[in-house]
Amino acid sequence: MSKWLLSASAFVLLSGAFGCTPPKVVTQITSARDQMKFLVVQGNSQQVVKCQVGADGALSGCKPMQLVLQDED
């Protein structure tokens, strides 16, 4: 669990939430096997960032995922 918190904290610090823009906040984290996904909220926008997790808990290859939301009829 401490690796999760350390990884999430590092991600938030490295995400560059500086200046006049609203801060980036990680609101959800999921993990499966060697991947972690973060739901990042900045103001009114949201994005999911997927990262690879190394054996030592280090994050690499972080990329935003494209989301397509559809209304249910």
Side-chain angles (χ1 to χ4, degrees), residues 4-55:
W4 288 47
L5 294 175
L6 181 60
S7 296
S9 298
F11 181 77
V12 170
L13 290 174
L14 295 175
S15 65
F18 302 105
C20 297
T21 61
K24 291 183 179 180
V25 179
V26 175
T27 60
Q28 298 285 323
I29 301 172
T30 60
S31 177
R33 296 180 295 278
D34 62 344
Q35 293 183 353
M36 288 183 88
K37 294 178 184 162
F38 302 90
L39 176 59
V40 181
V41 177
Q42 183 176 22
N44 291 331
S45 66
Q46 297 180 0
Q47 69 177 357
V48 174
V49 177
K50 180 170 80 169
C51 300
Q52 297 297 320
V53 180

